[in-house]
Amino acid sequence: MTPTHDKRGLPPKRTLWNDATIRALAFQLLTVFAVTGLLLYIVLNTLHNMDARGISTGFDFLSRPAGFGITQSFVEYSESTSTYGRTFIVGLLNTLVVSVLGIVLASLLGLIIGVARLSKNWLIAKLAAIYIELFRNIPLLLQILFWYFAVFLTLPEIDTPIQFGDSTFLTRRGLYLPSPVFANGFSVVLGAAALAIAGAVAVSRWASRRRERTGRQFPSLLVATALVIGIPMLAFFAAGRPLSWDAPKMGTFDFDGGMVVIPELGALLLALSIYTATFIAETVRAGILAVSHGQTEAAYALGLRPSWTLRLVVIPQALRVAVPPLTSQYLNLIKNSTLAAAIGYPDLFAVFTGTVLNQTGQAVEVIAMTMAVYLTISLLISLFMNWYNANIALVER
């Protein structure tokens, strides 16, 4: 048995090592120093080996002319004068475009399929189940190749397009659409739209606090929709309608004017949206089923209509279950977009890690920049979804 006091009747001296807090802090510092030292050793060793083999390092290559073309660019790009740094921006924007559009389309489709999966209509529920089991069990790469080679590349040639109205044409070269032409004064419309969105958010929050305080309902969704649509429309006409459309017209060898959605983007977007929607649909279904049926019955007993019960009772509780796995699906969609290289869509991975790496040989720098981009995008989405999840969480009283 350990004595609690010495011969003089005083308590024994306590050493630092026997302090659990200090001991834990010491182990954490040792771990940090060890990991930092290991990373530093890897970096220095890599730089030494590259220097010994005559491989140049640094980011000076970003200012050199690229000398190759890119089929889709949302910023000004020239094959003869643009630099490798410019190709990085072009690839990044192409990746962001397909990722954002894919997340929006997959969320809408997944929500519809998930609700349809729970339908009391036997046919609708079975069709939703067949959709989910069919598309989630086929590898995504095969679906991308299917949409590209079996659908888009079998469309008519440009001289015999499929026409929708007078200004939309579909050919194997892509979908030709009217492009917007903004005139002076359109900034007024944008400002009005921002003001309308801020007003809609304020009305929604006021209605939520009013409902919690008094139990009285307010048509906040209807009012918010009227604000978001009505105010920009009024500003549009007040500013003299500062928006026109440039429709594509058939030229000698191609359409002139308008804008084109290349088939690579269409195939990649369809495959990513349809594939990810299957997992989102199951997430939505799991979230709704996680809400106790007693909650719905209690809402009906209080006199809430089915639409209010769904919006005020079921969905808020379902989101608590659905948001965390939904975040994972969004991150998977972004990372799966790198499969675009299989059909030649010029995303960041294909342009920068493919062509630029092969031409410059700057493997460490190119791969590090590409990894940093995907890591940053994923962390930003995670932060946003975690913030959203914390805001919709039910507060226990």
Side-chain angles (χ1 to χ4, degrees):
M1 182 176 179
T2 304
T4 56
H5 296 77
D6 58 11
K7 294 179 180 179
R8 295 174 296 177
L10 299 175
K13 293 183 178 178
R14 192 177 185 183
T15 61
L16 291 177
W17 184 247
N18 290 329
D19 190 317
T21 303
I22 295 178
R23 193 167 60 244
L25 181 61
F27 278 122
Q28 293 177 45
L29 289 175
L30 285 175
T31 303
V32 170
F33 285 138
V35 173
T36 305
L38 178 62
L39 293 176
L40 188 61
Y41 170 77
I42 292 174
V43 171
L44 293 177
N45 191 48
T46 302
L47 293 176
H48 173 75
N49 291 334
M50 292 175 67
D51 184 61
R53 288 166 174 76
I55 302 175
S56 61
T57 57
F59 294 92
D60 295 338
F61 72 96
L62 292 175
S63 60
R64 299 206 303 261
F68 65 90
I70 300 178
T71 55
Q72 176 181 282
S73 175
F74 294 99
V75 294
E76 187 177 352
Y77 179 82
S78 170
E79 180 178 349
S80 57
T81 59
S82 294
T83 62
Y84 288 119
R86 195 71 170 180
T87 64
F88 174 79
I89 296 174
V90 172
L92 174 60
L93 290 177
N94 288 340
T95 294
L96 290 176
V97 166
V98 75
S99 299
V100 172
L101 292 178
I103 287 174
V104 173
L105 293 178
S107 299
L108 293 176
L109 188 58
L111 176 62
I112 295 172
I113 298 297
V115 174
R117 186 86 165 81
L118 297 171
S119 174
K120 294 180 181 178
N121 186 305
W122 182 87
L123 180 59
I124 293 177
K126 292 304 176 186
L127 287 176
I130 291 172
Y131 169 89
I132 292 172
E133 297 302 331
L134 176 64
F135 287 105
R136 77 173 175 181
N137 291 311
I138 297 176
L140 176 58
L141 180 58
L142 287 179
Q143 295 190 43
I144 293 174
L145 296 177
F146 167 79
W147 287 109
Y148 185 61
F149 289 107
V151 177
F152 282 92
L153 292 191
T154 58
L155 291 172
E157 294 289 348
I158 197 165
D159 53 349
T160 56
I162 300 174
Q163 190 167 347
F164 303 96
D166 297 330
S167 56
T168 303
F169 307 91
L170 181 62
T171 74
R172 63 179 301 168
R173 292 190 185 181
L175 177 64
Y176 292 83
L177 301 166
S179 60
V181 179
F182 304 105
N184 293 332
F186 193 77
S187 57
V188 176
V189 181
L190 293 179
L195 186 64
I197 292 174
V201 172
V203 168
S204 178
R205 290 191 173 186
W206 171 82
S208 178
R209 290 195 296 269
R210 177 176 180 266
R211 183 179 64 249
E212 293 178 357
R213 188 175 64 255
T214 64
R216 298 171 59 186
Q217 294 292 331
F218 182 80
S220 57
L221 183 61
L222 183 62
V223 174
T225 304
L227 286 175
V228 171
I229 296 177
I231 292 180
M233 289 296 293
L234 289 175
F236 177 76
F237 287 106
R241 295 189 290 183
L243 174 64
S244 59
W245 296 92
D246 179 21
K249 297 178 182 177
M250 188 62 195
T252 306
F253 300 105
D254 200 350
F255 284 97
D256 297 326
M259 61 180 181
V260 59
V261 179
I262 60 176
E264 291 81 6
L265 174 59
L268 181 64
L269 191 58
L270 275 177
L272 285 174
S273 303
I274 291 174
Y275 179 77
T276 309
T278 60
F279 296 97
I280 293 178
E282 288 297 86
T283 301
V284 170
R285 186 171 72 95
I288 294 177
L289 289 178
V291 180
S292 170
H293 187 61
Q295 298 280 328
T296 306
E297 293 179 341
Y300 290 155
L302 291 173
L304 292 180
R305 291 182 293 185
S307 59
W308 289 3
T309 302
L310 180 67
R311 187 162 60 92
L312 301 176
V313 178
V314 177
I315 290 181
Q317 296 185 76
L319 284 176
R320 291 188 304 167
V321 179
V323 167
L326 202 58
T327 305
S328 299
Q329 296 307 323
Y330 291 162
L331 299 182
N332 287 337
L333 185 145
I334 294 172
K335 289 178 283 189
N336 287 336
S337 68
T338 56
L339 293 174
I343 56 174
Y345 177 72
D347 74 328
L348 180 64
F349 180 79
V351 172
F352 206 60
T353 313
T355 308
V356 173
L357 175 58
N358 289 331
Q359 289 191 358
T360 63
Q362 306 281 141
V364 175
E365 294 84 353
V366 168
I367 293 177
M369 290 177 65
T370 308
M371 291 172 65
V373 166
Y374 282 102
L375 179 63
T376 303
I377 295 174
S378 298
L379 290 178
L380 290 176
I381 289 179
S382 297
L383 285 174
F384 174 77
M385 294 300 287
N386 290 336
W387 169 82
Y388 179 70
N389 194 29
N391 276 270
I392 63 172
L394 294 180
V395 180
E396 296 184 359
R397 300 175 180 175

